[in-house]
Amino acid sequence: MKWEITYYSKQVTSGLIKWPKKLKAKLLRILDLIEEYGADLGNPITKSLGDGLFEIRVKAQEGIGRVFFCYVINREIIILHSFIKKTNKTPKKEINIAIKRMKEVNKS
């Protein structure tokens, strides 16, 4: 049975659409793998950030992108937030957005 990927909001989807071409292509390939095998692809592709929050790590010539997601029941993965990295360390602000959204998703 395949995994289903859904998006927290249209804002998340439109943000990903605006990613640079090669980064977006790599992300789409990773999302295909996740739909087929689940999100436990391991480093350097996916990583647990703890407390049910995970990230997809995407790297291409145009830069580095991060996509935060969580699991919900029935083999569903929800894409919570994404951004293009501008520094080596992931800004806490970006993680906090994903955590807030994950809490909202888990309440419903």
Side-chain angles (χ1 to χ4, degrees):
M1 186 173 147
K2 289 194 174 217
W3 290 79
E4 181 181 351
I5 297 174
T6 57
Y7 297 85
Y8 175 80
S9 67
K10 288 182 181 181
Q11 177 186 359
V12 173
T13 307
S14 64
L16 287 169
I17 289 170
K18 294 175 186 170
W19 274 27
K21 193 177 202 175
K22 290 181 182 176
L23 268 176
K24 189 171 22 177
K26 285 197 172 198
L27 175 62
L28 291 174
R29 175 67 182 131
I30 291 169
L31 293 177
D32 285 344
L33 290 171
I34 288 173
E35 283 181 328
E36 185 71 29
Y37 303 106
D40 190 14
L41 301 175
N43 271 330
I45 300 170
T46 60
K47 179 182 174 185
S48 171
L49 299 178
D51 296 324
L53 183 65
F54 299 85
E55 73 176 350
I56 300 170
R57 305 162 131 207
V58 186
K59 188 174 187 178
Q61 285 178 313
E62 299 113 336
I64 299 171
R66 293 290 186 261
V67 177
F68 299 107
F69 68 92
C70 66
Y71 291 94
V72 293
I73 57 172
N74 298 328
R75 300 174 71 95
E76 182 179 0
I77 294 167
I78 299 181
I79 305 295
L80 301 166
H81 180 60
S82 69
F83 73 102
I84 305 295
K85 285 182 75 168
K86 304 224 186 314
T87 62
N88 285 338
K89 191 167 169 98
T90 299
K92 189 71 173 156
K93 174 186 100 171
E94 304 293 349
I95 295 172
N96 287 339
I97 292 169
I99 289 170
K100 179 180 177 245
R101 291 176 177 176
M102 181 177 65
K103 288 177 181 176
E104 289 174 18
V105 166
N106 288 331
K107 282 183 184 178
S108 54

